[in-house]
Amino acid sequence: MSETKNTKKQIRLPIILALAISAGIWIGATFAEPKSNQNDLRAALYKLQEIMTYINRDYVDSVNTNELVEFGITKMLENLDPHSSYIPARDASLAQSQLDGEFDGIGVEFGIIRDTIYVVAPLTGGPSEALGIQSGDQIIKVDEKTVAGIGVTNRDVFDLLRGPKGSTVKVDIKRKNQKELISYDITRDKIPQYSINASYMVNDEVGYIKVTRFAATTYDEFKSSIEDLKSKGMKKLIVDLQSNPGGYMGAAINMADELLGQRALIVSQEGKVDQYNQKAFAYRPGIFEEGPVIVLINEGSASASEILSGAIQDNDRGLIVGRRSFGKGLVQLPIDLSDGAELRLTIARYYTPSGRSIQKPYGANHEDYEMDYIKRFEHGEFFSADSISFNDSLKYNTVKGRTVYGGGGIMPDYFVPLDTTMNSAYISRLFNSDSNREFVLDYANKNKDKFEDMTIEEYKDKFTVNDAMLMELVEVGKKNNVKFDQVDFNKSKDYLRILVKAHLARQLYDDSAFYMVVNDINEIYQQALKLFDQAEQIAMAKDLTDVDLQEEEE
């Protein structure tokens, strides 16, 4: 009788449950547990050892036991909550570098266009800039190994170009209008990463700060940005947290402290273990405790973004403008494991000053949790605040008596519907293909002299992306297999002009220049500029019990 060889999935499934139970109890072993739980732990660990011994000794095919254990750990954590996670050793350092505020590398922003690594820009102060590597350079070889045309991925690039400070990597580059490859021996160095991508004066009174994540350096960057804007006359502040996925809670707490009066509650957290029960209060004299504040959020604003916006809202310090935030109110503790892997374990829930949990509901099916964005879109939530219903049992009051709701994300004080009238499927395909990046790199290199003495203010006010430039972009798209759609193009033409102009501004100047341009089509930002009277009313009023700011504006 012939036998069918088991698939890898079939091999894994019989032991996942045992792995999940055993590994889950093992994690709890680091905490003080009742004796009965300790006995359960010993029994579970013994069971796991039995199973792994039988598999390793008797299973019909050779198996990688470490792979099986990692698979089991991952499935077990998925059964806990949507945010507990396991990061294998090979990925842990890269994940951590996203929050550290710096990494060791050669110092380039890169993109992969038609299976080739392009230098988008050498990072200021980095070793690549010092050696003369330029925007538009193509990286063909790394340490004599060809990396073009082999299906290289972003992860591959990180592995090839990042490394310990002081180590050297040889990079062969193809530069436009030069036949021979140019070789560079690059000594890696510390490369700073910035989490505040833009800070500028909108007008004589309004300052704008764009925060893209909450990393180790974010608070220092935020404080420096406010001090700089105040020196330029800032009296009103916009903090843009749109699509900010969060990061370190401490950064959000410290930033809130600069905006709130002393002893104001910022956030509290509660867990099973007493050591994780704590409250954070503003304790230092803040550098912008007076003057109206508006915080911008949307459906992509999560975690630390919700801590900061919730603290501002519940303390009636300013106005929250935009759309309901993501709804992540679970706190993860990063735990370094002995083999270099990392466990990020949910150890508490956090609560805004009014006492509301902003964690949206979740069940055993985490796919439904991840699809919540799509459900909100289909339900119409992005287009009408009336589509959102709140449970009266989750009603809370701010310091001055305004009603706010828990149960899933921060609901803004002023709702701004998503504007999709200018976008189109063709424009999305064009940008997803990296055609825009390729066009911008080429255009910037060909027209360096044109922009050499042009300030960002002159660029914003006077430079126009003309029809000829748009048609050049269309042709680049065709090379990248993006079929031209005349109807969509006509519909989105003005929108496309702004997008191209914004990305070109980033290439020519910096991230602040990008936001100065692209915010012209940011509906939440544009609405916020009209609402500072309401923001000031909230901050100055002694009692807001009977005030409905949304209805007043309408």
Side-chain angles (χ1 to χ4, degrees):
M1 181 184 292
S2 62
E3 293 185 359
T4 303
K5 187 175 180 180
N6 288 337
T7 65
K8 286 186 177 181
K9 185 174 182 181
Q10 290 169 323
I11 294 170
R12 290 169 171 166
L13 288 176
I15 65 167
I16 289 174
L17 183 59
L19 283 170
I21 295 171
S22 303
I25 299 174
W26 170 78
I27 288 169
T30 56
F31 305 112
E33 291 286 345
K35 189 172 181 179
S36 60
N37 286 359
Q38 292 176 8
N39 291 335
D40 289 344
L41 169 63
R42 293 190 188 97
L45 288 175
Y46 179 74
K47 184 185 294 185
L48 174 61
Q49 183 180 0
E50 273 191 301
I51 292 171
M52 295 306 297
T53 299
Y54 281 119
I55 290 172
N56 192 50
R57 187 186 67 192
D58 299 329
Y59 185 71
V60 64
D61 295 322
S62 296
V63 295
N64 185 322
T65 53
N66 188 59
E67 266 189 18
L68 288 176
V69 169
E70 290 198 340
F71 182 77
I73 291 171
T74 299
K75 299 304 290 186
M76 176 270 296
L77 292 174
E78 287 178 2
N79 200 46
L80 296 180
D81 68 82
H83 298 291
S84 289
S85 62
Y86 170 79
I87 303 174
R90 61 184 176 274
D91 299 323
S93 60
L94 179 59
Q96 186 59 38
S97 71
Q98 305 300 315
L99 294 173
D100 281 344
E102 63 180 16
F103 62 91
D104 295 347
I106 68 169
V108 295
E109 181 186 347
F110 70 90
I112 300 174
I113 301 173
R114 290 203 291 275
D115 210 12
T116 302
I117 306 167
Y118 275 76
V119 176
V120 175
L123 300 180
T124 302
S128 292
E129 182 191 52
L131 289 173
I133 291 176
Q134 301 175 9
S135 297
D137 285 348
Q138 302 174 38
I139 299 177
I140 306 301
K141 293 182 179 181
V142 177
D143 285 336
E144 305 294 347
K145 179 183 177 182
T146 299
V147 295
I150 63 167
V152 70
T153 65
N154 286 341
R155 175 68 213 217
D156 294 330
V157 178
F158 291 139
D159 290 342
L160 289 165
L161 300 183
R162 291 189 179 186
K165 177 182 177 181
S167 61
T168 300
V169 59
K170 182 180 179 182
V171 175
D172 291 330
I173 280 176
K174 180 181 179 182
R175 183 165 294 158
K176 197 165 187 178
N177 300 323
Q178 295 197 26
K179 294 182 179 180
E180 302 295 327
L181 296 180
I182 306 171
S183 292
Y184 292 96
D185 290 319
I186 308 174
T187 301
R188 297 182 178 97
D189 203 350
K190 290 286 182 188
I191 308 299
Q193 294 189 102
Y194 298 104
S195 49
I196 289 186
N197 283 33
S199 176
Y200 63 86
M201 292 296 293
V202 179
N203 52 41
D204 291 342
E205 291 188 330
V206 178
Y208 169 87
I209 298 175
K210 172 67 178 179
V211 188
T212 55
R213 66 183 182 281
F214 290 83
T217 60
T218 305
Y219 167 61
D220 290 335
E221 294 176 51
F222 182 71
K223 190 174 179 181
S224 296
S225 295
I226 290 183
E227 289 171 342
D228 177 62
L229 293 173
K230 284 180 69 176
S231 72
K232 295 175 180 177
M234 180 182 71
K235 295 181 176 60
K236 306 171 183 179
L237 173 63
I238 293 176
V239 180
D240 190 347
L241 302 179
Q242 293 177 88
S243 300
N244 182 323
Y248 287 137
M249 180 191 298
I253 291 171
N254 285 326
M255 290 163 67
D257 198 350
E258 297 296 343
L259 304 175
L260 295 170
Q262 293 187 50
R263 299 310 300 165
L265 179 60
I266 296 172
V267 67
S268 60
Q269 67 177 54
E270 297 179 12
K272 180 176 68 176
V273 181
D274 287 344
Q275 73 187 78
Y276 301 132
N277 297 336
Q278 45 191 280
K279 293 184 177 182
F281 295 87
Y283 69 94
R284 65 169 72 88
I287 55 177
F288 198 74
E289 290 185 2
E290 297 181 0
V293 173
I294 293 180
V295 179
L296 312 185
I297 62 172
N298 65 4
E299 53 282 345
S301 306
S303 189
S305 294
E306 295 170 306
I307 291 176
L308 179 54
S309 54
I312 296 299
Q313 187 176 54
D314 284 6
N315 283 289
D316 296 300
R317 173 64 184 91
L319 194 71
I320 311 300
V321 176
R323 292 183 291 277
R324 183 163 65 105
S325 62
F326 181 86
K328 179 185 179 295
L330 299 176
V331 184
Q332 281 71 53
L333 175 69
I335 302 170
D336 295 328
L337 303 180
S338 57
D339 66 345
E342 182 179 287
L343 171 66
R344 293 185 179 178
L345 186 67
T346 297
I347 48 87
R349 290 180 172 85
Y350 68 71
Y351 298 84
T352 66
S354 65
R356 54 188 168 140
S357 169
I358 54 176
Q359 174 62 43
K360 63 185 178 183
Y362 62 89
N365 189 344
H366 291 175
E367 186 175 339
D368 288 344
Y369 182 85
E370 298 298 333
M371 294 295 289
D372 180 59
Y373 179 94
I374 303 299
K375 290 181 179 179
R376 290 192 195 187
F377 183 87
E378 292 175 346
H379 184 61
E381 179 181 323
F382 294 169
F383 308 101
S384 172
D386 293 338
S387 68
I388 308 169
S389 60
F390 293 102
N391 191 325
D392 282 343
S393 67
L394 299 174
K395 185 184 293 186
Y396 297 83
N397 291 320
T398 66
V399 169
K400 297 178 182 178
R402 288 190 299 147
T403 298
V404 289
Y405 289 90
I410 300 292
M411 184 64 188
D413 302 306
Y414 190 98
F415 178 86
V416 181
L418 178 66
D419 183 3
T420 60
T421 56
M422 297 181 70
N423 203 354
S424 65
Y426 172 69
I427 300 303
S428 297
R429 292 196 301 271
L430 202 60
F431 275 76
N432 288 338
S433 70
D434 265 340
S435 298
N436 176 67
R437 176 174 283 184
E438 184 177 351
F439 168 75
V440 164
L441 276 171
D442 188 57
Y443 188 87
N445 287 328
K446 285 179 179 177
N447 294 274
K448 285 182 179 178
D449 295 343
K450 182 176 183 178
F451 300 104
E452 191 170 3
D453 298 320
M454 187 182 293
T455 67
I456 175 55
E457 289 77 18
E458 291 171 334
Y459 175 89
K460 184 177 185 302
D461 293 339
K462 297 179 181 179
F463 180 75
T464 300
V465 174
N466 57 35
D467 286 354
M469 292 174 65
L470 293 183
M471 294 315 299
E472 286 181 44
L473 173 58
V474 167
E475 292 304 315
V476 174
K478 289 178 181 177
K479 291 179 184 177
N480 290 319
N481 299 315
V482 181
K483 185 179 179 181
F484 181 62
D485 186 314
Q486 184 72 59
V487 174
D488 276 5
F489 179 78
N490 290 341
K491 172 188 174 184
S492 305
K493 203 171 184 180
D494 291 337
Y495 179 70
L496 185 58
R497 289 188 205 278
I498 297 295
L499 289 179
V500 173
K501 182 175 178 178
H503 284 278
L504 183 58
R506 173 181 277 156
Q507 187 65 35
L508 296 170
Y509 303 97
D510 55 22
D511 281 346
S512 281
F514 170 85
Y515 286 101
M516 288 174 71
V517 175
V518 83
N519 278 338
D520 282 351
I521 51 174
N522 184 327
E523 65 274 11
I524 294 177
Y525 171 90
Q526 290 297 323
Q527 187 61 55
L529 292 177
K530 306 172 185 176
L531 297 172
F532 273 107
D533 287 346
Q534 291 196 36
E536 193 162 18
Q537 179 185 353
I538 287 177
M540 299 300 293
K542 293 182 179 180
D543 185 352
L544 290 167
T545 306
D546 298 321
V547 175
D548 190 327
L549 296 166
Q550 177 75 50
E551 288 185 2
E552 284 191 354
E553 175 63 20
E554 291 175 345

